[in-house]
Amino acid sequence: MPLGLITAIGRVMRKKRTSSLNILTSKRGPRDYYKGKNCKPTGFHTRKGGYVIMDEKLPRYVVPDLTDFKLKAYVSQCARDVSGGSATSSTTESTNA
């Protein structure tokens, strides 16, 4: 009898399982659990299975006018060798100092 009481107290005092501290996903949650992808809904579902997109919930992106901007938006994957430029002379001076 006392042995059963001691094991019961040990079970109560035991820490949480480490498996319960893992990240909750839709595979590990209950059958009807849907986690989603952390994005905001753009509308709502209707009773008949349709989806209505609400214009005020759509994201609006503000893009500035870049007509006179000096830098380009694209950076080439193929880097060219710079010979005799000011960048190479400044790097050799800083390494010699």
PDB file of all heavy atoms in Angstrom, residues 15-24 28:
ATOM      1  N   LYS A  15       7.457  16.625 -13.775  1.00  0.00           N
ATOM      2  CA  LYS A  15       7.427  17.780 -14.660  1.00  0.00           C
ATOM      3  C   LYS A  15       6.664  17.439 -15.934  1.00  0.00           C
ATOM      4  O   LYS A  15       6.409  16.288 -16.236  1.00  0.00           O
ATOM      5  CB  LYS A  15       8.849  18.193 -15.024  1.00  0.00           C
ATOM      6  CG  LYS A  15       9.627  18.761 -13.881  1.00  0.00           C
ATOM      7  CD  LYS A  15      10.989  19.182 -14.361  1.00  0.00           C
ATOM      8  CE  LYS A  15      11.803  19.755 -13.243  1.00  0.00           C
ATOM      9  NZ  LYS A  15      13.130  20.152 -13.668  1.00  0.00           N
ATOM     10  N   LYS A  16       6.357  18.481 -16.702  1.00  0.00           N
ATOM     11  CA  LYS A  16       5.691  18.285 -17.984  1.00  0.00           C
ATOM     12  C   LYS A  16       6.592  17.536 -18.935  1.00  0.00           C
ATOM     13  O   LYS A  16       7.812  17.670 -18.891  1.00  0.00           O
ATOM     14  CB  LYS A  16       5.352  19.632 -18.626  1.00  0.00           C
ATOM     15  CG  LYS A  16       4.030  20.178 -18.274  1.00  0.00           C
ATOM     16  CD  LYS A  16       3.761  21.374 -19.157  1.00  0.00           C
ATOM     17  CE  LYS A  16       2.314  21.741 -19.097  1.00  0.00           C
ATOM     18  NZ  LYS A  16       2.023  22.872 -19.938  1.00  0.00           N
ATOM     19  N   ARG A  17       5.985  16.800 -19.808  1.00  0.00           N
ATOM     20  CA  ARG A  17       6.773  16.105 -20.820  1.00  0.00           C
ATOM     21  C   ARG A  17       7.366  17.112 -21.787  1.00  0.00           C
ATOM     22  O   ARG A  17       6.733  18.103 -22.120  1.00  0.00           O
ATOM     23  CB  ARG A  17       5.892  15.126 -21.591  1.00  0.00           C
ATOM     24  CG  ARG A  17       5.553  13.911 -20.785  1.00  0.00           C
ATOM     25  CD  ARG A  17       4.879  12.919 -21.676  1.00  0.00           C
ATOM     26  NE  ARG A  17       3.562  12.671 -21.115  1.00  0.00           N
ATOM     27  CZ  ARG A  17       2.489  12.399 -21.798  1.00  0.00           C
ATOM     28  NH1 ARG A  17       2.530  12.339 -23.091  1.00  0.00           N
ATOM     29  NH2 ARG A  17       1.349  12.175 -21.204  1.00  0.00           N
ATOM     30  N   THR A  18       8.568  16.860 -22.275  1.00  0.00           N
ATOM     31  CA  THR A  18       9.193  17.779 -23.215  1.00  0.00           C
ATOM     32  C   THR A  18       8.492  17.748 -24.562  1.00  0.00           C
ATOM     33  O   THR A  18       8.558  18.698 -25.321  1.00  0.00           O
ATOM     34  CB  THR A  18      10.678  17.445 -23.404  1.00  0.00           C
ATOM     35  OG1 THR A  18      10.800  16.087 -23.850  1.00  0.00           O
ATOM     36  CG2 THR A  18      11.447  17.629 -22.123  1.00  0.00           C
ATOM     37  N   SER A  19       7.800  16.663 -24.861  1.00  0.00           N
ATOM     38  CA  SER A  19       7.089  16.597 -26.138  1.00  0.00           C
ATOM     39  C   SER A  19       5.925  17.578 -26.173  1.00  0.00           C
ATOM     40  O   SER A  19       5.526  18.030 -27.230  1.00  0.00           O
ATOM     41  CB  SER A  19       6.586  15.184 -26.394  1.00  0.00           C
ATOM     42  OG  SER A  19       5.657  14.823 -25.391  1.00  0.00           O
ATOM     43  N   SER A  20       5.385  17.943 -25.014  1.00  0.00           N
ATOM     44  CA  SER A  20       4.284  18.895 -24.996  1.00  0.00           C
ATOM     45  C   SER A  20       4.774  20.321 -25.174  1.00  0.00           C
ATOM     46  O   SER A  20       3.979  21.217 -25.407  1.00  0.00           O
ATOM     47  CB  SER A  20       3.505  18.781 -23.693  1.00  0.00           C
ATOM     48  OG  SER A  20       4.330  19.164 -22.610  1.00  0.00           O
ATOM     49  N   LEU A  21       6.073  20.549 -25.078  1.00  0.00           N
ATOM     50  CA  LEU A  21       6.617  21.890 -25.239  1.00  0.00           C
ATOM     51  C   LEU A  21       7.069  22.166 -26.666  1.00  0.00           C
ATOM     52  O   LEU A  21       7.584  23.234 -26.948  1.00  0.00           O
ATOM     53  CB  LEU A  21       7.799  22.086 -24.276  1.00  0.00           C
ATOM     54  CG  LEU A  21       7.459  21.944 -22.793  1.00  0.00           C
ATOM     55  CD1 LEU A  21       8.718  22.060 -21.968  1.00  0.00           C
ATOM     56  CD2 LEU A  21       6.450  22.974 -22.376  1.00  0.00           C
ATOM     57  N   ASN A  22       6.905  21.223 -27.572  1.00  0.00           N
ATOM     58  CA  ASN A  22       7.296  21.430 -28.955  1.00  0.00           C
ATOM     59  C   ASN A  22       6.366  22.436 -29.630  1.00  0.00           C
ATOM     60  O   ASN A  22       5.285  22.745 -29.139  1.00  0.00           O
ATOM     61  CB  ASN A  22       7.275  20.111 -29.730  1.00  0.00           C
ATOM     62  CG  ASN A  22       8.414  19.208 -29.320  1.00  0.00           C
ATOM     63  OD1 ASN A  22       9.397  19.662 -28.758  1.00  0.00           O
ATOM     64  ND2 ASN A  22       8.272  17.936 -29.599  1.00  0.00           N
ATOM     65  N   ILE A  23       6.783  22.904 -30.782  1.00  0.00           N
ATOM     66  CA  ILE A  23       5.986  23.869 -31.531  1.00  0.00           C
ATOM     67  C   ILE A  23       4.696  23.202 -31.994  1.00  0.00           C
ATOM     68  O   ILE A  23       4.711  22.105 -32.548  1.00  0.00           O
ATOM     69  CB  ILE A  23       6.791  24.398 -32.728  1.00  0.00           C
ATOM     70  CG1 ILE A  23       8.021  25.148 -32.231  1.00  0.00           C
ATOM     71  CG2 ILE A  23       5.936  25.300 -33.591  1.00  0.00           C
ATOM     72  CD1 ILE A  23       8.982  25.516 -33.325  1.00  0.00           C
ATOM     73  N   LEU A  24       3.587  23.885 -31.785  1.00  0.00           N
ATOM     74  CA  LEU A  24       2.282  23.332 -32.150  1.00  0.00           C
ATOM     75  C   LEU A  24       2.045  23.536 -33.640  1.00  0.00           C
ATOM     76  O   LEU A  24       2.062  24.657 -34.140  1.00  0.00           O
ATOM     77  CB  LEU A  24       1.173  24.005 -31.351  1.00  0.00           C
ATOM     78  CG  LEU A  24      -0.227  23.458 -31.552  1.00  0.00           C
ATOM     79  CD1 LEU A  24      -0.294  22.010 -31.105  1.00  0.00           C
ATOM     80  CD2 LEU A  24      -1.224  24.285 -30.802  1.00  0.00           C
ATOM     81  N   ARG A  28       0.275  18.190 -35.115  1.00  0.00           N
ATOM     82  CA  ARG A  28       0.348  17.810 -33.701  1.00  0.00           C
ATOM     83  C   ARG A  28      -0.868  18.246 -32.897  1.00  0.00           C
ATOM     84  O   ARG A  28      -1.054  17.813 -31.785  1.00  0.00           O
ATOM     85  CB  ARG A  28       1.594  18.433 -33.068  1.00  0.00           C
ATOM     86  CG  ARG A  28       2.859  17.889 -33.633  1.00  0.00           C
ATOM     87  CD  ARG A  28       4.034  18.563 -33.005  1.00  0.00           C
ATOM     88  NE  ARG A  28       5.237  18.151 -33.700  1.00  0.00           N
ATOM     89  CZ  ARG A  28       6.347  17.829 -33.111  1.00  0.00           C
ATOM     90  NH1 ARG A  28       6.454  17.891 -31.815  1.00  0.00           N
ATOM     91  NH2 ARG A  28       7.392  17.457 -33.818  1.00  0.00           N
TER      92      ARG A  28
END
